[in-house]
Amino acid sequence: MSRKHPIISVTGSSGAGTTTVKHTFDQIFRREGIKAVSIEGDAFHRFDRAAMKAELDARLEAGDATFSHFSYEANDLAALEATFRSYGETGAGRTRTYVHDAREAEHWGVEPGRFTPWRDLDPGSDLLFYEGLHGAVANGRVNLSELADLKIGVVPVINLEWTQKIHRDRASRGYSTEAVTDVILRRMHAYVHCICPQFTETDINFQRVPVVDTSNPFIARWIPTADESLVVIRFRNPRGIDFPYLVSMIHGSWMTRANSIVIPGGKLDIAMQLILTPLILRLVDNARRA
């Protein structure tokens, strides 16, 4: 960790809503005059779309049905660690962009499913912001957790995550429910061994919990809305967190443990603004003084 060049990592499993969280961070950065450079976890995939399909086919033929984008081996975590370390030490580093669709392809001039060339991060930034699947990995080979100054976890309960994935993949990718189910089953091993352990490393977790029946996500007709959900916010170290203030400011919230607060799902943005703004300002203030 570096006082002079702080790093914020937001780690979430697929469909966790990290893009919405990034929007909240962008609001804070803009309002407070903070210059942040952003990197995406997708940029550090080891394979492009065609190469990943070939790798999946090869592993399935070899009897391995557990390989997925969640897996450590599907990502160049050493390169991500090098970027974290370089930024923390010098405020510089490299990233690239994984091009998902035709709209992004038009912007970057690269075919969908491919990577842009590596490029240097913009100089003179106040902090680095990471959003992706592996921002808090500590697995004996790499330790991203120790390099990030503020680690946020964003994760829905598992049945909600499956419901969201099934609906998204059927609507945007044309997959059948059976095909999405196969993907879920293939990812489960890495979800347990690569994704879940990170949420013990994060400083604050935001976990969305539906209050409608999602007991069979494979037949659910709708994704539960924010108003049909609660969000459990857990602080790894609650020291210095003003829980009475948060409960008074977030209507309908209450504490469930000494380090946890529950809020209505529709209050997530205001809760994140109240909780994260002073933490970010402290990081940036310390960096500027350093």
Side-chain angles (χ1 to χ4, degrees):
M1 293 187 292
S2 169
R3 286 172 56 88
K4 193 171 183 180
H5 306 289
I7 298 171
I8 298 174
S9 73
V10 174
T11 301
S13 52
S14 180
T18 52
T19 301
T20 301
V21 172
K22 184 180 185 306
H23 176 70
T24 299
F25 272 95
D26 287 342
Q27 286 182 301
I28 296 172
F29 297 152
R30 182 172 55 253
R31 185 183 65 237
E32 302 299 337
I34 296 169
K35 182 181 179 182
V37 289
S38 297
I39 60 175
E40 298 177 350
D42 289 357
F44 295 87
H45 287 334
R46 192 176 297 278
F47 307 102
D48 66 16
R49 188 173 295 166
M52 183 65 177
K53 184 180 185 306
E55 184 71 14
L56 283 169
D57 291 343
R59 291 194 178 233
L60 283 171
E61 188 174 344
D64 179 5
T66 66
F67 185 72
S68 74
H69 279 122
F70 286 12
S71 306
Y72 293 143
E73 296 80 5
N75 298 273
D76 192 349
L77 297 182
L80 180 57
E81 183 183 49
T83 295
F84 273 27
R85 189 178 303 280
S86 173
Y87 187 86
E89 293 175 354
T90 68
R94 295 198 311 160
T95 190
R96 60 183 177 177
T97 298
Y98 177 79
V99 178
H100 295 87
D101 52 35
R103 180 182 59 82
E104 293 183 359
E106 183 177 356
H107 174 77
W108 290 105
V110 174
E111 294 178 9
R114 304 291 297 272
F115 296 102
T116 66
W118 290 98
R119 61 184 181 274
D120 292 333
L121 298 173
D122 291 339
S125 59
D126 293 310
L127 59 83
L128 173 68
F129 179 86
Y130 165 92
E131 178 261 316
L133 290 170
H134 299 97
V137 167
N139 64 3
R141 296 188 295 276
V142 300
N143 194 335
L144 297 164
S145 176
E146 71 174 2
L147 297 174
D149 300 88
L150 177 61
K151 300 178 289 293
I152 307 297
V154 184
V155 55
V157 294
I158 191 68
N159 278 24
L160 175 58
E161 178 165 353
W162 290 348
T163 300
Q164 293 177 147
K165 178 162 182 59
I166 291 167
H167 277 256
R168 184 192 66 188
D169 284 4
R170 287 192 307 195
S172 64
R173 299 177 180 175
Y175 290 4
S176 66
T177 300
E178 292 74 18
V180 186
T181 302
D182 287 343
V183 174
I184 290 171
L185 291 173
R186 187 175 70 238
R187 288 179 170 182
M188 190 50 58
H189 182 272
Y191 182 82
V192 171
H193 292 92
C194 304
I195 304 299
C196 287
Q198 296 181 80
F199 299 122
T200 62
E201 301 288 338
T202 46
D203 301 303
I204 308 172
N205 282 339
F206 295 86
Q207 184 175 44
R208 185 177 165 204
V209 182
V211 291
V212 295
D213 184 15
T214 60
S215 54
N216 187 350
F218 302 98
I219 64 168
R221 295 184 179 180
W222 299 280
I223 298 173
T225 66
D227 289 335
E228 295 173 328
S229 307
L230 299 172
V231 176
V232 180
I233 306 172
R234 189 272 297 172
F235 298 84
R236 186 180 187 187
N237 181 2
R239 180 176 297 176
I241 303 299
D242 191 344
F243 286 103
Y245 171 74
L246 293 176
V247 171
S248 69
M249 292 294 290
I250 306 169
H251 180 71
S253 64
W254 72 96
M255 290 188 66
T256 53
R257 288 186 176 177
N259 66 341
S260 300
I261 183 173
V262 176
I263 65 168
K267 301 290 186 181
L268 177 59
D269 182 75
I270 184 63
M272 294 189 71
Q273 298 268 356
L274 291 170
I275 293 167
L276 297 173
T277 299
L279 299 178
I280 295 169
L281 289 176
R282 187 182 310 157
L283 284 176
V284 173
D285 182 57
N286 288 341
R288 289 172 175 171
R289 286 189 293 174

